[in-house]
Amino acid sequence: MINKGIKLGIFAVALFAFSFTNAQDKKTPPTFEQLIEKMDANEDGKLSEDEVEGPLKDMFSEIDTDEDGFITEEEFENAPKPKGPRK
């Protein structure tokens, strides 16, 4: 049986790791690779308007500069960056 001190230590480390990971996610914008991993439903390496959500969906037409209906990595990298701090 694990003693109470060890349980609390494990819990504290897990809590710290979880909070650190979440804090990092909120401060750093996602990379194109992370967006592809999360949103590219048909796994074609680009994002259609139907696949995206949130601010990316709101700015889709501004980011899709060649107007082909997809956001490529190049378009994403050249997209206008949000102004002000992320919440």
Side-chain angles (χ1 to χ4, degrees):
M1 178 177 259
I2 299 176
N3 74 31
K4 195 177 197 178
I6 293 174
K7 284 182 184 178
L8 286 174
I10 292 170
F11 177 74
V13 169
L15 183 61
F16 174 76
F18 178 76
S19 64
F20 181 75
T21 301
N22 284 343
Q24 290 291 84
D25 291 344
K26 292 178 183 175
K27 291 182 182 177
T28 306
T31 64
F32 186 75
E33 184 177 306
Q34 290 169 329
L35 292 174
I36 287 291
E37 215 172 277
K38 181 179 179 186
M39 297 182 192
D40 186 18
N42 64 359
E43 300 178 349
D44 64 355
K46 48 192 176 179
L47 299 169
S48 70
E49 192 167 6
D50 291 337
E51 293 174 317
V52 299
E53 55 191 44
L56 198 56
K57 189 169 194 84
D58 297 337
M59 297 179 64
F60 192 89
S61 61
E62 293 175 54
I63 299 170
D64 179 23
T65 54
D66 65 4
E67 299 177 351
D68 68 349
F70 298 96
I71 296 176
T72 62
E73 184 171 11
E74 183 179 346
E75 289 172 321
F76 178 77
E77 295 301 327
N78 295 323
K81 303 301 178 228
K83 295 178 176 117
R86 287 181 54 135
K87 295 181 181 181

